Amino acid sequence: MAAGGDGAVKPLQSAMKLAAAAIELDTGNRPREAYVEYLKSISYISQALLEEAAKGGSDAMTPDTPKMLKLAEQCLERAKSSTAVLGKVKPAAHERGPSPAPISRHRRVFSDEGGKLSPFLPPEIFQKLQITKAQGTKKELTPLEEASLQNQKLRAAYEARVARLNPSQAVQKTSLTLTLQRQMMENLVIAKAREETLQRKMEERRLRLQEAANRRFSSNIALTPEEQEQRVLYAAILEYEQDHEWPKLWKAKLKKNPTDLSLVSGLISHLLSFPEHPIPQLLTKLQHAIYSRLYPIVSQNLADLSTASRGFSSLSLDAEGLLTPAPGGRKLRSSQSLYCMASVQENKVNLQHSLSTAPLSEDLATESSLQEGTAARLADRESSFEDLERFLAAPESWPTGPPAEPQAPAEKKASLQEQLKAIVKDIHNSVDRLLSLALLAFEGLNTASSKDQCLARIEEAFFSPLWAPLLALYRRVYQAREVALSRSMERHRNMPPSEIGVSANLFPQDSKGHTAGSYPYSTAVQELGLILLESCPQRKLECIVRALRVICECAEEYCTARESWPQPGSAAIGADDLLPILSYVVLKSDLPQLVAECAALEEFIHEGYLIGEEGYCLTSLQSALSYVESLHGGVLVK
């Protein structure tokens, strides 16, 4: 019997399975077969999107469409990497001496392989990319610029007429020349007068609007630097609204329909599409400031880890300061960059050697005996989850990960935590400044529901280019926990649900009926994996909520199949059943970076979400992560 929800497999899930198979070939050092599978994945995604588009109407674009496009882009990136590997292999068989490295237009950074592209752009390049969004807008010409264009046209007409004159018509040529000079001079004089008048009126308007801004802000008391900047920006907004009509139209819409939240989303999206508006300009400025603080930290961590991993030829630095998966890993990167979905999972013995001082050089026989001993101890629990409840009730007994790493002393780790804390504070302040300015510009947004919707749209735009380097810093800070979680996932990945405490009624009776790559709650695992394709905290939280809902749907399906439904109208599972199942889903996900993801979400999610369903789902996932992490240390042995 297939896992819940597998009966009607979504195109996105099928595409992820195809991509996962390609990545497995890629990590298994089979670039040619991987290249073919990547192309099949891209072809499948293209066909699925074509079928959706052919339907037309509202079905042409589904919530999964952007994710499918991201997945296709990521598969294309990996296909390019495979072709590069295949291209390097062929000349090596015919050339004796080493060939010179090709000149790359991209900046390279620290890597033990010597050729890995930097995933993080320098701050100055990041700023230029942000500014280019504003370069496509039309710019109104000044009077002098208009006069210059007119003079160019006059000169072209003059040259055309002179070319048609005979050499004997010198008097007419002189007359045309004098006429041209007079007209060009008149154009310049008139344009200069117009520009002076325009500048005078603009200055008068600026002073008038500045007075209006001063009246809005109490000028009889001393303003803080932030309030002074806000007053200047508010005056700039008033000046912008004098030259553009659309803000007035949107204000009228908000006044007419104050409870329509779709208007709020539309307004913020429309506002951010005008890069010359003061609010998008402030957004770009704040993003650049945060990125400039993140870049040297994550780049230095790449350098430190590169130095520490010298001599281990099988290890290569990942873009987030961690290690790439060893052969056998099946992680998928986000299409937005090289860094969103890299993880430390499945590094096996190499990972243990490079990131811990503990003696982790046990051979396969020892590891096998440990797995057998662990399975025997877990079987003694009689499929209960009482020890997990005791474990969660005593947080002081939770493991803190392996001993301190030699390449990252306590002082350095404390420094990273302090830097992360300062950057998080700056991010909160930046988002608050943007929200305050938006509420000043559009007073109709100053209600509780509209404010939440406005904040969500601002955060989505703010975090989009910053989440990857921010997550890289989080993963560096939580690296010890990720390593411990990765080892647990590696060691216990094939553990059946019953041994982790899942009730027999909540998984299929006959698991042999599953297709290849399918297992109980596989759709929940796939849904949880989609969190890595998002770059906005709220959307990531929605992925977690959907994953837990899929778990409930699968449990209901399994209960129905076993004809063991508790009572009519009652839920198939409760909180005591949810944690074991969620722990099993986490174990099968092979995503140790979920530790850093959850830590970041807990910091940036709005307080209102933390007390509702979203907060419950996030807390449940964190509890499951802690439990799976503890399996490696044997903390919960009876």
Side-chain angles (χ1 to χ4, degrees):
M1 176 178 174
D6 286 343
V9 179
K10 295 182 179 179
L12 178 60
Q13 295 170 355
S14 301
M16 289 185 66
K17 289 182 180 180
L18 290 173
I23 293 174
E24 187 170 6
L25 293 171
D26 200 355
T27 54
N29 199 21
R30 298 166 64 184
R32 187 177 300 279
E33 293 87 343
Y35 174 70
V36 174
E37 292 300 320
Y38 285 133
L39 295 182
K40 289 182 180 179
S41 302
I42 297 171
S43 176
Y44 174 81
I45 293 172
S46 301
Q47 185 62 32
L49 293 178
L50 279 174
E51 292 176 358
E52 287 182 358
K55 295 179 181 178
S58 59
D59 295 335
M61 284 288 291
T62 66
D64 289 342
T65 300
K67 299 173 185 177
M68 295 273 282
L69 292 173
K70 288 182 181 180
L71 186 59
E73 184 179 350
Q74 193 274 338
C75 289
L76 181 60
E77 289 178 3
R78 285 184 171 263
K80 291 179 181 178
S81 301
S82 299
T83 56
V85 172
L86 293 173
K88 291 179 181 178
V89 172
K90 290 182 179 180
H94 304 286
E95 299 179 6
R96 295 183 179 180
S99 59
I103 299 176
S104 175
R105 294 177 296 173
H106 300 280
R107 187 181 59 85
R108 299 183 184 274
V109 295
F110 310 96
S111 171
D112 57 351
E113 293 178 351
K116 192 168 184 177
L117 299 182
S118 168
F120 301 113
L121 297 172
E124 58 273 12
I125 304 299
F126 177 86
Q127 186 179 27
K128 289 181 180 179
L129 289 176
Q130 296 297 97
I131 293 176
T132 51
K133 297 178 182 179
Q135 293 180 347
T137 58
K138 294 182 179 180
K139 182 182 177 182
E140 188 175 353
L141 297 178
T142 64
L144 284 176
E145 291 173 341
E146 290 180 355
S148 177
L149 289 177
Q150 291 177 1
N151 289 343
Q152 290 177 10
K153 294 178 181 179
L154 289 174
R155 186 171 183 83
Y158 161 78
E159 292 175 351
R161 292 186 64 179
V162 168
R164 293 196 296 267
L165 294 177
N166 296 326
S168 60
Q169 296 176 312
V171 177
Q172 294 182 4
K173 181 177 180 181
T174 303
S175 177
L176 289 176
T177 303
L178 293 175
T179 302
L180 173 67
Q181 293 175 351
R182 178 180 56 80
Q183 290 178 340
M184 292 177 69
M185 185 60 66
E186 287 177 354
N187 287 342
L188 291 176
V189 171
I190 295 172
K192 188 174 182 180
R194 286 178 57 200
E195 187 147 325
E196 289 176 353
T197 303
L198 182 61
Q199 288 177 353
R200 184 174 65 254
K201 290 183 178 180
M202 293 291 291
E203 181 64 19
E204 292 174 356
R205 188 179 72 173
R206 188 189 66 80
L207 293 174
R208 186 175 66 255
L209 296 175
Q210 186 65 53
E211 291 177 1
N214 292 341
R215 288 193 298 270
R216 181 68 181 266
F217 294 84
S218 301
S219 56
N220 56 345
I221 60 174
L223 297 178
T224 63
E226 291 78 10
E227 290 174 336
Q228 292 176 359
E229 182 191 26
Q230 194 174 45
R231 182 173 63 180
V232 172
L233 289 171
Y234 181 66
I237 290 174
L238 293 178
E239 188 173 353
Y240 178 88
E241 291 177 353
Q242 293 289 320
D243 299 327
H244 299 81
E245 191 68 21
W246 68 264
K248 300 176 184 177
L249 298 177
W250 277 99
K251 288 180 180 180
K253 291 180 182 179
L254 288 175
K255 188 175 181 179
K256 185 178 180 181
N257 302 294
T259 59
D260 190 355
L261 296 182
S262 62
L263 280 179
V264 180
S265 300
L267 169 59
I268 300 302
S269 300
H270 192 75
L271 169 65
L272 297 178
S273 66
F274 289 90
E276 68 275 9
H277 192 281
I279 292 180
Q281 288 180 351
L282 178 62
L283 171 67
T284 303
K285 175 184 174 182
L286 295 175
Q287 285 176 330
H288 179 250
I290 298 296
Y291 188 86
S292 297
R293 294 197 61 183
L294 284 169
Y295 177 77
I297 302 173
V298 295
S299 298
Q300 183 61 39
N301 288 331
L302 284 173
D304 294 343
L305 284 177
S306 178
T307 303
S309 63
R310 298 289 181 186
F312 297 97
S313 59
S314 61
L315 298 182
S316 62
L317 284 173
D318 195 276
E320 293 184 8
L322 299 173
L323 298 174
T324 53
R330 305 198 320 165
K331 293 287 108 21
L332 191 63
R333 300 187 184 201
S334 168
S335 65
Q336 294 178 339
S337 61
L338 302 175
Y339 38 76
C340 286
M341 300 182 66
S343 67
V344 294
Q345 77 279 13
E346 304 180 18
N347 287 305
K348 299 184 179 178
V349 179
N350 291 333
L351 175 69
Q352 298 167 1
H353 278 299
S354 62
L355 295 179
S356 174
T357 56
L360 298 171
S361 58
E362 59 264 30
D363 54 16
L364 294 177
T366 305
E367 183 171 351
S368 176
S369 64
L370 286 174
Q371 291 178 351
E372 293 174 0
T374 302
R377 290 192 295 269
L378 290 173
D380 293 337
R381 299 187 208 170
E382 299 176 355
S383 299
S384 69
F385 218 61
E386 298 173 358
D387 42 7
L388 175 58
E389 294 173 350
R390 291 196 299 270
F391 169 74
L392 295 176
E396 63 274 4
S397 65
W398 291 6
T400 57
E405 305 165 356
Q407 70 273 23
E411 296 81 3
K412 183 174 180 181
K413 189 169 185 179
S415 175
L416 277 177
Q417 291 175 340
E418 292 171 0
Q419 290 174 327
L420 175 60
K421 185 177 180 180
I423 290 174
V424 166
K425 183 178 179 181
D426 287 345
I427 290 175
H428 283 304
N429 291 338
S430 299
V431 173
D432 289 342
R433 288 168 64 185
L434 290 166
L435 178 61
S436 299
L437 197 59
L439 297 180
L440 274 175
F442 300 94
E443 296 180 357
L445 300 175
N446 205 2
T447 63
S449 55
S450 297
K451 198 180 296 185
D452 290 343
Q453 191 74 10
C454 181
L455 178 62
R457 299 284 78 78
I458 289 176
E459 286 182 342
E460 184 174 355
F462 183 84
F463 280 105
S464 182
L466 297 177
W467 188 264
L470 179 63
L471 184 63
L473 180 54
Y474 264 97
R475 296 191 65 186
R476 190 69 181 99
V477 171
Y478 288 89
Q479 181 175 343
R481 287 195 58 194
E482 283 199 17
V483 171
L485 182 61
S486 177
R487 290 168 182 161
S488 290
M489 289 177 169
E490 173 68 23
R491 184 163 296 175
H492 305 291
R493 68 172 59 188
N494 296 321
M495 180 184 295
S498 59
E499 293 187 9
I500 206 170
V502 181
S503 173
N505 293 332
L506 299 178
F507 61 90
Q509 186 172 8
D510 182 13
S511 60
K512 295 181 181 180
H514 290 286
T515 58
S518 178
Y519 44 84
Y521 300 98
S522 60
T523 50
V525 174
Q526 294 170 3
E527 195 68 46
L528 185 62
L530 297 179
I531 189 175
L532 304 180
L533 292 175
E534 303 292 350
S535 58
C536 171
Q538 184 175 348
R539 294 190 180 277
K540 287 176 175 287
L541 190 60
E542 291 171 357
C543 289
I544 297 176
V545 174
R546 288 197 301 269
L548 267 72
R549 289 176 179 173
V550 170
I551 287 177
C552 295
E553 293 172 2
C554 292
E556 291 177 1
E557 180 177 334
Y558 299 150
C559 281
T560 303
R562 286 176 172 264
E563 298 181 353
S564 57
W565 194 267
Q567 289 180 359
S570 62
I573 61 175
D576 295 339
D577 297 315
L578 178 62
L579 278 175
I581 300 174
L582 186 54
S583 300
Y584 173 75
V585 169
V586 167
L587 195 60
K588 300 296 289 185
S589 70
D590 279 349
L591 297 175
Q593 61 265 52
L594 288 175
V595 172
E597 292 274 8
C598 288
L601 290 181
E602 188 176 20
E603 183 62 52
F604 295 112
I605 286 300
H606 191 265
E607 295 83 356
Y609 289 105
L610 294 178
I611 61 176
E613 179 188 11
E614 294 85 356
Y616 176 78
C617 293
L618 179 60
T619 303
S620 300
L621 179 58
Q622 289 175 312
S623 301
L625 289 169
S626 299
Y627 174 70
V628 175
E629 179 185 344
S630 70
L631 294 177
H632 176 68
V635 174
L636 300 182
V637 178
K638 277 192 177 182

